[in-house]
Amino acid sequence: MVSGNKDRGYVSRIIESARALRERDAFEPASRMVGDTISAARAKAETRAQGKDTRRVVIAFGLATAFIALLSLCLPYRGIDTMGSGGTIYPLGDVLDCYRLWFDLTIAPLFDNTLYNLTTLKLAQFSQTHEGGMYTMVTNRAMATAIVAVCGMMLAVSGLLFQASFRNPLATPSMLGVSDGVTLGCIVFAWLGNGSISEDPGLYLLCVYGFGAAAVVVVLFLSRGISGGARYNVFDMLLLGTVITQLLNGVNAFVQNFVMDYGTWQLFYNVQQAGDALHDPLVQGVVAGVFVITVVPALMLRFRLNLIAFSNDEGRMMGVRSGLLRGLALVLGATMQLAAIASIGQVAMLSLAVPFLVRYLMPSDFRSQFLGNCLIGTALLLVCMIIQHFALIGIITVPVGTIVSILIIPFFVWVIALGRGRWS
Amino acid sequence: MAAKSDKPRRIKARNPANTYATSEQARHSARAEARRVLVCGVAALVLVLLAWILPTYMFEHSMMRFTPAVFFDVMAYNLDGLASVLTGGGGWFENRFMAVVVCAISGAALGLTGSTYQGAFNNPLAAPKTLGVMAGGALGALIFVLLLQGVGPQMPGSGTSITKGQADAWIASLDPLEWFWVNYGECLCSMAGCFLVVGIVIALTSLIGRGRMSNIIVIIFGQVFAGTITAIISFCRYYFTRDGGIDMVDQLREIENYTMIRTYYFHDLLVIVAPIVVCMVVVLLLRNRLTLLSFGEHEAASMGVNVNRTRYIMIAICTLMTAIAISFAGHVAFLGFISAHLSRRIVGPDFKYLLPASVFVGGGLLTLIQYLSQSGLPYTSPYAAGVICSIVGPFLFLLVVLKQRGKGSLGEWK
């Protein structure tokens, strides 16, 4: 009697989780059990139709992202706090000329030595037909666009990893104190350094990465202690993360309101919004490095990561160490967000919103979610960067983070309204 | 059944969340919970009394002046003042008396709101600021500072110093409406901001859910709105500091960290305390529905609770309370969350006892923190009570949590 009950519980749980996953490739045994309830043929047809839909959505979003990236490339680069003129757009032809020149100057000489002698001539030709400084502006903008695209991708994917491993749509890396830790790091940098990232990028990276990582480590350590050694309770972590975030918030507010004078506060705000970090080769290099060591493993593990939806016990029953996978996902996610915030400022809102939106647009298996998040995160952050180019109040450019959080609201409402029939 | 009552399960007296084998034990536990609520109440009263009579700013002067004799002298002096106020004599102590009362009531309102939201949304992460109340208050303050400051009667010769007699004469010359605006203008704006943001969040959520309010959507909307408003305010601050609006920044900062630094009069008591007390009574009368809600939405609906209506009522009342508390007493961020969890740890999950307990715990805690901020200890400032709360609160929470270390997930949530 008792064992029968247990069995029934086990089977129904598997069916539930399999339905929640809707992933039939990564999980053979569960799909075979689901086969008892849903006819196999229908399931197959559904999967195929879904796959076609997914492909169509992905292609549409990919095209949109490419278009937005192209648009972003047509603008000159302007940092947050420079008093440049806002609103300039270069014609596409001129921009393409710039890239041709760049190719001629850097790539072509590698293959053809005779071209090398022509570089000065080409530069002279270019500067006769185009306005001064355009070449630098355009190439800088290209670098900035690439970094922003990478950051958007990392932010969205980090949100996805966290929401998947906590099984809670509220979870973001900032819940573990990442963004508040970074803010504390910025405060320390505003005190220690001379306030300009480009003059002391090493110290900036040390402060920001150090404090961000320290916050996450403290939360993980404490929650492990509270959940009792070997057990690894996700819920405790979320609650403790909220508490530690609040603590960091309090310290930050105290220092900002009662310790700093306005001059230091200005420096701090500039640093917090990552004033000229995008421009700095060291920051760019670190972001690229982090991108390679985090997104690539996440991409390689995309089938396995479906399994973090199981709890530890369920995972163990099925021979998977889901605890290990989940830990890996958390570390990857936190690192991604840390790198993104360090290079473009307080944009943590993106990793809350984008995965939430993608869940309405794409099927719930990890692979499609991953793709969708990469595309939409990139597109959204690039759009914000384009808007930022025109958002000039007085002599001050509105930071990307502020634009992200303003833009998120209508987008959010629209997509939730789209999926309201499906909402449960 | 009989066999069970012969061998009653061992019950730890400290954990009322255990299941009880017999009705006798259940009754016993109810008595224990009621006793704990009573203890909380007495403790809160004692804290309020201490906040009245202990000397403030005691470490600010040199230690030479501060001897035990001075300490007791000041206490006796305060006690005299308190007696004079309580017997209707008025006097110099009135101001401090009011400040402590406002502080205790605001804390109680925030604590009650925290527990109520956690029950109504059935989510331990819910807190008074979940629906964006704090951000709304800050937005209202920003709008007041930017647009509405010059509206209404201005004090003659402001900027230059005028005597108290001149100021009194000017105030006496105002008509009642103008007087109200002069006194409560920025608080009203702040309150309007609170209602605006909470209203938008709730309206959007129920529009999207076709009348059904989803927990997760509410909380995410609240977070998103709060984040946006915080970012905008931060940018405005930056703009002002760059563009020579330092006094505006000062003002914004002052309104947000306004914690109990106002001079309170008797009419403030009517405007602040009376509505909050009424709201608290209503919430306490409806508290049994929250217990049913904690079974889950569908279960509560099947037991005859109109889930949505209960939630709307609770949100409306709690928003009113919180809006009054934070507009008049300053943004005390963490208090609702921490006092809800503390009181849950003390009396257990039954809302019949939990809500009164959280009233007392919240009130006592804010009184304590307010006193700490006025004690003149190094790095404290009377403006900083809200900030002190968000620095001290987490440690308190960790202390409570670490005590039950190794017992798995926090409490009986989930």
Side-chain angles (χ1 to χ4, degrees):
Chain A
M1 179 69 191
V2 173
S3 70
N5 272 341
K6 248 186 199 166
D7 283 346
R8 212 173 298 150
Y10 171 67
V11 170
S12 68
R13 209 180 308 151
I14 288 200
I15 290 174
E16 263 173 34
S17 33
R19 268 196 201 134
L21 280 173
R22 275 198 225 151
E23 166 59 65
R24 295 183 180 87
D25 309 326
F27 208 70
E28 263 320 301
S31 77
R32 233 175 274 146
M33 280 174 204
V34 174
D36 297 340
T37 48
I38 310 170
S39 86
R42 217 174 69 197
K44 216 172 185 180
E46 264 176 21
T47 316
R48 207 178 302 136
Q50 220 174 41
K52 217 177 253 174
D53 268 4
T54 313
R55 215 166 300 137
R56 224 171 285 146
V57 172
V58 166
I59 288 171
F61 278 122
L63 285 178
T65 310
F67 177 72
I68 290 166
L70 206 63
L71 211 62
S72 167
L73 288 179
C74 294
L75 299 171
Y77 176 77
R78 183 156 54 83
I80 284 179
D81 210 33
T82 48
M83 300 176 196
S85 57
T88 331
I89 303 178
Y90 290 146
L92 194 60
D94 288 4
V95 174
L96 288 180
D97 281 352
C98 283
Y99 289 121
R100 200 181 305 141
L101 180 63
W102 177 78
F103 182 84
D104 286 349
L105 291 183
T106 53
I107 307 290
L110 296 177
F111 303 103
D112 189 354
N113 256 336
T114 53
L115 267 175
Y116 183 72
N117 301 322
L118 294 175
T119 49
T120 38
L121 185 66
K122 281 195 180 264
L123 260 176
Q125 265 181 0
F126 184 84
S127 58
Q128 270 179 5
T129 48
H130 299 82
E131 67 176 85
M134 181 178 167
Y135 176 70
T136 336
M137 287 274 217
V138 167
T139 43
N140 277 346
R141 179 79 187 187
M143 201 62 204
T145 304
I147 296 293
V148 165
V150 162
C151 287
M153 208 178 280
M154 289 202 291
L155 278 170
V157 171
S158 73
L160 171 69
L161 286 174
F162 264 66
Q163 296 187 3
S165 47
F166 282 128
R167 282 183 288 176
N168 187 335
L170 281 174
T172 55
S174 45
M175 274 229 146
L176 298 192
V178 174
S179 60
D180 289 284
V182 167
T183 307
L184 197 60
C186 290
I187 285 177
V188 171
F189 177 74
W191 260 338
L192 292 183
N194 48 13
S196 170
I197 298 173
S198 54
E199 284 184 26
D200 207 350
L203 182 65
Y204 171 72
L205 288 176
L206 196 68
C207 286
V208 164
Y209 279 81
F211 277 93
V216 175
V217 168
V218 165
V219 171
L220 290 180
F221 180 75
L222 277 178
S223 65
R224 208 172 166 75
I226 282 158
S227 309
R231 278 182 70 189
Y232 182 69
N233 194 315
V234 163
F235 185 73
D236 292 350
M237 205 188 294
L238 214 55
L239 206 51
L240 268 178
T242 316
V243 173
I244 298 292
T245 304
Q246 187 65 42
L247 176 65
L248 288 172
N249 230 327
V251 173
N252 288 339
F254 183 74
V255 175
Q256 284 182 41
N257 279 316
F258 300 105
V259 181
M260 280 181 169
D261 55 14
Y262 287 122
T264 324
W265 191 81
Q266 273 180 27
L267 291 181
F268 156 74
Y269 186 78
N270 255 325
V271 173
Q272 191 201 13
Q273 304 298 343
D276 43 1
L278 214 53
H279 199 48
D280 191 82
L282 187 61
V283 178
Q284 288 171 352
V286 171
V287 170
V290 171
F291 178 71
V292 171
I293 59 170
T294 55
V295 175
V296 173
L299 195 67
M300 281 160 67
L301 285 173
R302 64 193 181 279
F303 296 110
R304 294 226 113 205
L305 282 173
N306 275 315
L307 299 172
I308 56 179
F310 290 107
S311 74
N312 286 1
D313 296 340
E314 286 166 343
R316 195 166 298 152
M317 263 189 242
M318 296 166 194
V320 186
R321 295 185 65 188
S322 58
L324 193 70
L325 265 179
R326 195 173 296 136
L328 188 64
L330 293 188
V331 170
L332 289 181
T335 318
M336 284 176 192
Q337 196 180 51
L338 197 52
I341 292 178
S343 41
I344 47 170
Q346 293 289 318
V347 281
M349 191 83 86
L350 206 72
S351 53
L352 174 72
V354 172
F356 201 71
L357 308 184
V358 174
R359 202 160 324 123
Y360 287 111
L361 300 174
M362 308 281 257
S364 60
D365 73 311
F366 194 84
R367 193 178 39 161
S368 351
Q369 290 281 316
F370 187 88
L371 261 176
N373 270 300
C374 283
L375 291 175
I376 294 181
T378 306
L380 204 58
L381 205 55
L382 281 175
V383 164
C384 291
M385 207 196 169
I386 291 172
I387 292 176
Q388 188 213 15
H389 189 76
F390 301 100
L392 197 72
I393 300 180
I395 52 163
I396 299 161
T397 315
V398 181
V400 187
T402 312
I403 292 173
V404 166
S405 46
I406 294 173
L407 197 71
I408 283 288
I409 291 179
F411 203 50
F412 212 56
V413 171
W414 169 63
V415 176
I416 294 177
L418 267 187
R420 68 183 185 179
R422 269 193 277 169
W423 181 251
S424 62
Chain B
M1 198 62 202
K4 265 187 186 172
S5 57
D6 283 348
K7 252 200 297 178
R9 247 181 285 166
R10 262 190 69 207
I11 287 166
K12 286 177 197 155
R14 290 180 58 89
N15 188 358
N18 275 331
T19 47
Y20 300 107
T22 63
S23 60
E24 192 187 330
Q25 277 169 349
R27 218 178 305 129
H28 178 258
S29 108
R31 236 179 288 138
E33 283 168 16
R35 215 179 303 131
R36 282 194 198 122
V37 174
L38 203 67
V39 169
C40 286
V42 171
L45 275 182
V46 168
L47 280 176
V48 168
L49 199 67
L50 284 181
W52 271 329
I53 63 171
L54 281 181
T56 45
Y57 303 109
M58 48 184 171
F59 300 108
E60 209 162 54
H61 311 293
S62 70
M63 293 302 278
M64 287 296 286
R65 266 186 62 193
F66 190 73
T67 56
V70 173
F71 187 85
F72 287 116
D73 274 359
V74 173
M75 267 173 60
Y77 191 54
N78 284 344
L79 214 56
D80 273 356
L82 179 63
S84 149
V85 170
L86 286 180
T87 51
W92 64 273
F93 194 75
E94 219 169 30
N95 214 324
R96 187 159 165 201
F97 178 83
M98 302 281 184
V100 172
V101 169
V102 168
C103 171
I105 289 288
S106 310
L110 287 170
L112 183 59
T113 306
S115 278
T116 311
Y117 278 0
Q118 293 193 352
F121 295 120
N122 207 5
N123 187 338
L125 294 176
K129 70 171 185 178
T130 304
L131 299 183
V133 176
M134 303 277 171
L139 184 69
L142 181 71
I143 288 172
F144 178 79
V145 168
L146 281 183
L147 306 173
L148 298 173
Q149 210 165 28
V151 178
Q154 301 294 310
M155 191 180 282
S158 57
T160 60
S161 58
I162 53 171
T163 61
K164 191 174 179 303
Q166 281 170 319
D168 284 345
W170 177 69
I171 285 174
S173 71
L174 298 171
D175 66 36
L177 211 63
E178 284 175 341
W179 178 86
F180 199 76
W181 177 254
V182 167
N183 262 298
Y184 299 116
E186 57 189 49
C187 296
L188 281 180
C189 280
S190 181
M191 270 177 71
C194 296
F195 278 111
L196 183 74
V197 171
V198 174
I200 289 175
V201 169
I202 297 293
L204 275 180
T205 318
S206 47
L207 261 181
I208 284 165
R210 291 202 176 109
R212 233 178 67 83
M213 212 164 36
S214 151
N215 276 342
I216 289 165
I217 300 254
V218 168
I219 290 174
I220 288 185
F221 266 146
Q223 271 194 0
V224 168
F225 270 89
T228 306
I229 290 168
T230 313
I232 291 173
I233 288 173
S234 200
F235 176 72
C236 284
R237 259 179 84 169
Y238 182 68
Y239 185 78
F240 291 149
T241 51
R242 286 291 301 270
D243 225 32
I246 297 285
D247 50 335
M248 282 195 184
V249 184
D250 272 337
Q251 221 176 344
L252 265 182
R253 172 195 281 191
E254 205 167 274
I255 293 176
E256 267 180 55
N257 302 296
Y258 214 21
T259 335
M260 329 300 164
I261 203 66
R262 288 168 55 109
T263 310
Y264 293 101
Y265 299 98
F266 184 69
H267 52 77
D268 293 316
L269 219 59
L270 282 184
V271 174
I272 304 167
V273 176
I276 290 184
V277 169
V278 171
C279 291
M280 284 207 277
V281 169
V282 175
V283 172
L284 286 176
L285 286 178
L286 292 176
R287 64 184 189 270
N288 284 334
R289 294 194 192 180
L290 286 179
T291 311
L292 290 183
L293 261 183
S294 66
F295 286 101
E297 278 179 44
H298 299 295
E299 287 80 353
S302 69
M303 284 185 270
V305 178
N306 189 337
V307 176
N308 265 353
R309 204 174 57 195
T310 310
R311 266 192 198 150
Y312 283 132
I313 292 173
M314 289 298 182
I315 288 171
I317 300 173
C318 287
T319 304
L320 181 61
M321 267 193 312
T322 324
I324 294 173
I326 67 170
S327 322
F328 285 89
H331 293 208
V332 192
F334 204 51
L335 195 85
F337 184 82
I338 182 78
S339 50
H341 278 284
L342 266 181
S343 45
R344 183 171 279 262
R345 184 68 57 236
I346 294 171
V347 298
D350 187 355
F351 280 87
K352 192 178 171 192
Y353 304 103
L354 177 59
L355 287 196
S358 58
V359 167
F360 294 134
V361 170
L365 215 54
L366 191 54
T367 314
L368 181 68
I369 284 165
Q370 167 65 1
Y371 179 73
L372 273 184
S373 76
Q374 287 187 350
S375 65
L377 286 169
Y379 299 110
T380 59
S381 143
Y383 283 97
V387 175
I388 289 176
C389 186
S390 36
I391 295 176
V392 174
F395 286 111
L396 206 60
F397 183 83
L398 287 182
L399 210 72
V400 172
V401 166
L402 286 175
K403 256 188 118 177
Q404 61 137 29
R405 176 198 160 112
K407 286 186 191 161
S409 110
L410 288 168
E412 57 294 327
W413 291 105
K414 199 138 187 206

